[in-house]
Amino acid sequence: YVDWRGVEERRAIVERARDAQRELLALTRTRAEAGLESSLDVERQAALLANTEASLEPLEAERAVALHRMATL
C-alpha cells in the first residue's frame, strides 16, 4: 500500500507540473506571436512539456505493479 501511495503522490506532482507547463507553453506562444519571445523559447518549453509527459508512462507502469502487489496479498 505504501508503495502504491508513493507512486500516486509522485504521479500527482508530475501531473501538476505538466499542467503548469502546458499553461506556460500557451503563454510563451502568445508572447512569441507578439514578438516578445523567440521561437527557441517556444521550442524549449514544448520540449520540457514533452519530457514531463513522457515521465508519466513509467509512473503508470510502476503504479500498476504496486497495485498488482496489493492484489496478491
Side-chain angles (χ1 to χ4, degrees):
Y1 176 77
V2 173
D3 290 342
W4 179 74
R5 288 300 303 152
V7 172
E8 285 291 304
E9 275 300 311
R10 288 193 320 233
R11 188 171 141 221
I13 291 167
V14 172
E15 286 175 345
R16 284 193 301 270
R18 178 202 58 204
D19 295 344
Q21 288 174 359
R22 280 182 180 161
E23 290 179 23
L24 189 54
L25 178 57
L27 176 62
T28 305
R29 282 184 175 145
T30 300
R31 290 178 54 86
E33 290 170 3
L36 301 172
E37 300 279 350
S38 70
S39 61
L40 178 60
D41 294 324
V42 174
E43 291 303 316
R44 275 191 199 140
Q45 189 57 44
L48 282 172
L49 176 58
N51 286 337
T52 301
E53 288 175 335
S55 71
L56 283 170
E57 287 183 38
L59 285 174
E60 188 57 38
E62 194 175 336
R63 178 184 169 275
V65 168
L67 193 59
H68 179 55
R69 281 190 202 137
M70 281 192 328
T72 58
L73 292 179

